[in-house]
Amino acid sequence: MKPELGVCYYPEHWPEAMWADDAASMVETGLAWVRIGEFGWSRMEPQPGDLQFEWLDSAIETLGTAGLKVVLGTPTTTPPRWMLDKHPDMLAVDAQGNPRKFGSRRHYCFSHKGYIDECVRIAQIMGKRYGRNPHVAAWQIDNEYGCHDTTISYSPSALLAFRYWLMDQYGTIGDLNEAWGNVFWSMEYNDFDQIELPNLTVTEPNPAHVLAFRRFSSDQVVAFNKAQVDVLRTHIDAPLLHNYMGRVLDFDHFEVGADLDIATWDSYPIGFLSDRLEASEEHKTAFLQQGDPDMQAFHHDLYRAVGRGRCWVMELQPGPVNWAPYNPAPLPGMVRLWSLEAVAHGAEVVSYFRWRQAPFAQEQMHAGLLTPDNRAAPALPEVRQTAEDLANLGEVHQTTAQVAILFDYASDWAWTTQPQGAGFDYFRLIFSAYQALRRAGLSVDFITANDAAKRQYKLVLGPGIATLDRDVERHLKDRSDLTVLGPRSGAITRDFQIPKQGRPGLNCLDCNVDMVETLPPDVERAVEGGGAGKHWIDRLSGTAQDLLSFADKTPALKGADGFWYLAGFPDTDLWDRIVAMAAQDTGIPLHPMPAGLRRRETTDYEFLINYNAEPVDWNGHTIKGCDVAILKRNPPGQS
Amino acid sequence: MKPELGVCYYPEHWPEAMWADDAASMVETGLAWVRIGEFGWSRMEPQPGDLQFEWLDSAIETLGTAGLKVVLGTPTTTPPRWMLDKHPDMLAVDAQGNPRKFGSRRHYCFSHKGYIDECVRIAQIMGKRYGRNPHVAAWQIDNEYGCHDTTISYSPSALLAFRYWLMDQYGTIGDLNEAWGNVFWSMEYNDFDQIELPNLTVTEPNPAHVLAFRRFSSDQVVAFNKAQVDVLRTHIDAPLLHNYMGRVLDFDHFEVGADLDIATWDSYPIGFLSDRLEASEEHKTAFLQQGDPDMQAFHHDLYRAVGRGRCWVMELQPGPVNWAPYNPAPLPGMVRLWSLEAVAHGAEVVSYFRWRQAPFAQEQMHAGLLTPDNRAAPALPEVRQTAEDLANLGEVHQTTAQVAILFDYASDWAWTTQPQGAGFDYFRLIFSAYQALRRAGLSVDFITANDAAKRQYKLVLGPGIATLDRDVERHLKDRSDLTVLGPRSGAITRDFQIPKQGRPGLNCLDCNVDMVETLPPDVERAVEGGGAGKHWIDRLSGTAQDLLSFADKTPALKGADGFWYLAGFPDTDLWDRIVAMAAQDTGIPLHPMPAGLRRRETTDYEFLINYNAEPVDWNGHTIKGCDVAILKRNPPGQS
Amino acid sequence: MKPELGVCYYPEHWPEAMWADDAASMVETGLAWVRIGEFGWSRMEPQPGDLQFEWLDSAIETLGTAGLKVVLGTPTTTPPRWMLDKHPDMLAVDAQGNPRKFGSRRHYCFSHKGYIDECVRIAQIMGKRYGRNPHVAAWQIDNEYGCHDTTISYSPSALLAFRYWLMDQYGTIGDLNEAWGNVFWSMEYNDFDQIELPNLTVTEPNPAHVLAFRRFSSDQVVAFNKAQVDVLRTHIDAPLLHNYMGRVLDFDHFEVGADLDIATWDSYPIGFLSDRLEASEEHKTAFLQQGDPDMQAFHHDLYRAVGRGRCWVMELQPGPVNWAPYNPAPLPGMVRLWSLEAVAHGAEVVSYFRWRQAPFAQEQMHAGLLTPDNRAAPALPEVRQTAEDLANLGEVHQTTAQVAILFDYASDWAWTTQPQGAGFDYFRLIFSAYQALRRAGLSVDFITANDAAKRQYKLVLGPGIATLDRDVERHLKDRSDLTVLGPRSGAITRDFQIPKQGRPGLNCLDCNVDMVETLPPDVERAVEGGGAGKHWIDRLSGTAQDLLSFADKTPALKGADGFWYLAGFPDTDLWDRIVAMAAQDTGIPLHPMPAGLRRRETTDYEFLINYNAEPVDWNGHTIKGCDVAILKRNPPGQS
Ligand SMILES: [Zn+2]
Ligand SMILES: [Zn+2]
Ligand SMILES: [Zn+2]
């Protein structure tokens, strides 16, 4: 696979007279792809049924003849204002019961049948018109599902659909009452029609109720997406894709991804560091203009799994954005660094958002490759340089890693529903594991519980996995040399009950959770020999060996052959110890990295990615600040 | 009185086959009481009118024949879902106007007549069925009034009831206008029907309006409770009780308590430290796994007054709970310590919540005496030990203290309505006084203004008492050697006006509040000789002697024979000075205590309660960490 | 002009028997003015149409014959409760969609036609009755527009009026779509009836939509005020005024002021420091009992411009207030200091709020000149002293300053709509400029963009001015020696688009904004030679000279003859450097002031105002703490 570059473009924002020049400039800059159309419904259909696709025909023709491959988006993320006159109840409703009004984007409820039909209609029209267009080389469905907290809706449509979904899941109301433990607090229902959405209750609703609603809400996204997939597949052969976001866990990306061909995502490294990462003030200041050194890699690796090996970056930040609390500029070199890093992690295409900064509306302060008055913005020369780098690089091929992280969206829904202690968060826990592996210089894969039956790794980490089926346990045991679970793994059933067999309820490890403690952020439990548990402590018993102990001699890590269970949320030092112990146990060679320097191996290359502003020396190489060193890999066995 | 132990149990959560074993184990553990039923309505009446009490008959029989005394709860805290079909408008409404929906508990408005009738109906059915059952030795009405902020409701039912209540209080609308000062800002009403509930106003509503609504809301709880009391009294002789909470001041517990026989409360020392106490980070960390050393004693003493001498702990925390921001485990010994401390303060029964941890629903992470899979949880052996300790201790009798605190729920409503300075809070002020007395090793009683006519103390503290009738002043003067009022005492009338005679408006002390200042938390006013005033400063004048002065020579404490008035909210040092001065004035011997060690005298014993994790030496005794030393008291006069 | 003192008085709150004594005491204290009536509607018209003005006749007569001049207020800020029965939909609606209920004040929507008619009716009745009354020497319309965030309403009335306003502004829906850039995110409308108010959108609404709504909302205040102006003008000759607030920018005070004769404002120095100023903890503690040394002067200078040279203080804080987070007392001397400072800045009348503290309702903890029980409060002797000082002072005349600040309410609306970085705020930026000028001992005028054509200054500062017309640029260039713009000046069009000519789009300076960065509060960009940019950084290019550079050599200040552009939000040191450079460039003599000491020149006097608690030496004078030194000015040229 030969990585390429692309850009997001909005012909409808600019005079048609500019299109050809824009297209030529894109090609000249080294871009091969251009994404268009995903916000264009009001121009495709200005009034209900009044289809006006000539401008889009022309745009595709202009871009295509210039040599660009087009990604065409269905515009269902932004229904025009007239759609609300047809479907006044199509809006999502927030937890306070207020409709989330027209006037920005993503103003629809995933459960509204009438709106889904409209989406299928417009997708069908587009599929028919452009399905065999030679310039249209890929299709994007909708845009950034879940952005602006839009997965969950408390609308009447959602309520109705939820009741049907529950009937389907539980069959009888008695079975539902039993599964949810509704005898507690006399919450038993006589009929599915009595069930409400779990908002605005006097105090915390039944977590089983909430988790069911979260599963339902995810399923609605999957079904919404699939409705367009099904109609498009009848008209097109090009790959279908969607652009996911960073740290959005509200729906199961693996399930949406299963219906698509490629997973793409929108990478805003500086905005994400500022608005969605727990980190010290010091860390945030050190990487203010670079982004967190692991956040992008994490998502590349995760979405490579979601795309079953195929992933892109659909939107890459080219300068200051408009939506984070603070919006500084990337340091010189960072746009290129992020691009090459994406390629190292498997991105087939890296596409920038956007070609030219818009002079109007919500994103007018969001930088592009060009300024609003059509001058080159700082990112443009970096993109040009990146295109040259990629040309020199040639083919890049991914290899299977030795280490995998077991990732499960439903675990986030469970622990968000009942965190038990403020500060415990599934993503945070998984990300801390990922960071530890990367500090050790390892390349990482993500797998689902389903993958456990099919994939083979030296080491699998599964912290925080809410539900652990016996089957999955067996597959992990069979196929990986070592699996490390805990804390809070195997802690509930699918219906949010503590498993009858106790927690974590493993067959291959005699280890029981007797009690759980959660701790304030300034309190930790020291582990003998270094490191500490924080936030969450499983108090363990059982005959499995104590591999590590807390200062009070209670177990911090218990293990038997091929299976370990970790009692607490590890701090940095404890993670490093666990990774070292696991590596020794499984014979994985480690490559400890300096702060801010990260490493990624492909078949032929070793990428050394320096997020620091200053140069770093490592292993005989000096990597400049905000730069990437790409080394030809030694033959296997000598790394 | 011989203190006993008990436990909360939910037979409806477990197979009937387990009940007998559970009962036997309870008895074997040393428990004498078991509370059941208070969340069981959906099992007692699964459909409207479909009464199914056989399971409860059987549970009572099983528990009773095993030797346990049953506390039977009316289940009105959790009406089943079908109740809402009968009474769709029975839900409380929050300050934003949203109904507080079904799906957890306490989902009712205290003012809804239809629901009150349902509660009377089910209480009558239970009273008839179990009123003479020999195993049912006490009755609990409802559960934790006011929990989850449920005292106040902005529902249509509440509005209607409020208007009638106002008519009853004020007679004519003109009198109401006059009493509230509605001429201010043209808020005058022409008719009671024009009065709304005081939410969602443009800016602060009239504090008289709010205080009336707070009084009304409290009265509605009293009436709600009394409706069940009245019907139960016709069928039963056993004592009636209710389980109050920690730091819930939204209704007048004395008034509810006047209709009941015993006051019980639910004591969660670790949760309360974390979620409802102002304290330094350092203090919270030091007592993270023990709870605040004064919080439990405070409530024992308060509820002993509410119960007119009779009090229990109905729910005691046996391990980590599920609802605080962070939920660590009690240190070993603490469950026993809390139990013995309760006994020292007069608890006739200490009952743990709950027998076995539920594997489902909201409280599945709330520890019990047993784990969900029926193994002993850490608290079980401590409870067993406590039972033995109590057997050895025998009878425990309370004595009247030398010191009392004047406590008044309406003062909290008043100062919550108009705090005047952030940080001023009635409970906080009272609690700081209580802590000072306990640092001095004193046992403390609580009294109401009504009690002032009947009870006699060497010293009465009445800081923050909003309204002070002439009668009460006279009784205090007559019956106590010294009364210390202020700050913010006698500051308003019942209708939230500044009294015509000025503030504090005392007959027996020439002392006037000329001006009030409130201060940011980091600013204080030093007192000459040590200590400082914080948060609130009454600027005083008058001929009464200046017993203490601020650094600028203005009065910090003024006094005449038997009556003192304190100008500011004292810090720790100032409280200690005032207590010492008052003790010297009244001849009360002090017993200064080390940090974390507390002392309580009963007729025969001196309890020394060590909340510290480490041992403490005091007065020739070494008290181990998390332990209680129980000393036979010296004959009176030698203490 | 000979400055006078006044007071706010509520005869309706006190027995008529007290009025004459009150009036005599006012006169005796040295007060010349008394404001009454503005909250009195429920007494003027207790039932719809039942007019009862006898009490007001009598009050005016009593006050007037005692020698006081009356300011009579129209009572439209507090419609009586019966008004809502006539106009149930007259309430404003908050952003969540809840009506803002009766029960305090300002409970009306500016767009409700029915209520506006009621206001005109009552104004007409009052105008007819008192228009020629010899004691009524001025009229106040309504009270504190915008207080309690009341400018903006999301009511149905507002929606309807907004649509008409948009039709009027844009003519066709196509022009509106174009002007707002609604093609972005398919936000295009087919009809004005489809436009909603910009609340409750899924994510940020179009800033053009919001800014239009903000302009509309301001226009509604102007129109509301003008309706009363128009009817009153037909009956009275006395000046019309309104009392504005501190740091309320939600409507255009210049436009309201254009219809009135005098601008007055309500000055609460201690409350404002606490509740509406960004400042360090240290600064807030140092001036806790004095208020910020620049806040009052700022508003005097601003409202002197709003009143086209005529301004009053209508309400001055005489002691602790009731509404700030903390409410300490003014240090002795401060009430007099604030009064004399107001006079120095042009106040014709300084009026205290209020005569006697009310013993009831919302403001019962708000100090007056008398206590509720009619004793002298601490401020009374200070007011008496101030009256003597003013008698000694005689005439005070204002001069035009050498320096002006360009002030624009719409810029605040724009930057509130899209701050781009948390911490960027228009008032904060302008205030920091004002503080820098005052640290340099300069007197300051405020001007609008319209004034630029008419007024002449050595130096004009225009930081943050959102929109800069070519005309205004030319007038600034022509009439001032030096204009300093930036940061974020000339950054958008009136319709919130980036100008086609780029930013700041100046003719007389070749300087372009290439990129904008916003920074967290703890990050700054050092400027070579001292000082730094914070919060906001315009990255500049262009041929204009770099007068200052950041440490990375990018421009911090660019300039050409008579026009400079500043790249970042300056910290204190950078502002001081810029003021010094500008002063040198324009020949303005500076008078650097010690902390807390401020200076104001009138024709004949130099006022030295010491906000510090301690004495300060300056220029050979010692000014006592909390005191004002008033020096006869040297003849021009020797200052
Ligand atoms: Zn995006
Ligand atoms: Zn409870
Ligand atoms: Zn005011």
Side-chain angles (χ1 to χ4, degrees), chain B residues 547-564:
Chain B
L547 302 177
L548 291 174
S549 297
F550 290 114
D552 66 357
K553 310 297 178 192
T554 58
L557 179 71
K558 291 181 82 73
D561 181 40
F563 245 88
W564 296 358

Side-chain angles (χ1 to χ4, degrees), chain A residues 408-424:
Chain A
D408 174 50
Y409 286 92
S411 297
D412 175 68
W413 312 333
W415 304 151
T416 304
T417 299
Q418 216 174 50
Q420 175 66 11
F424 183 87

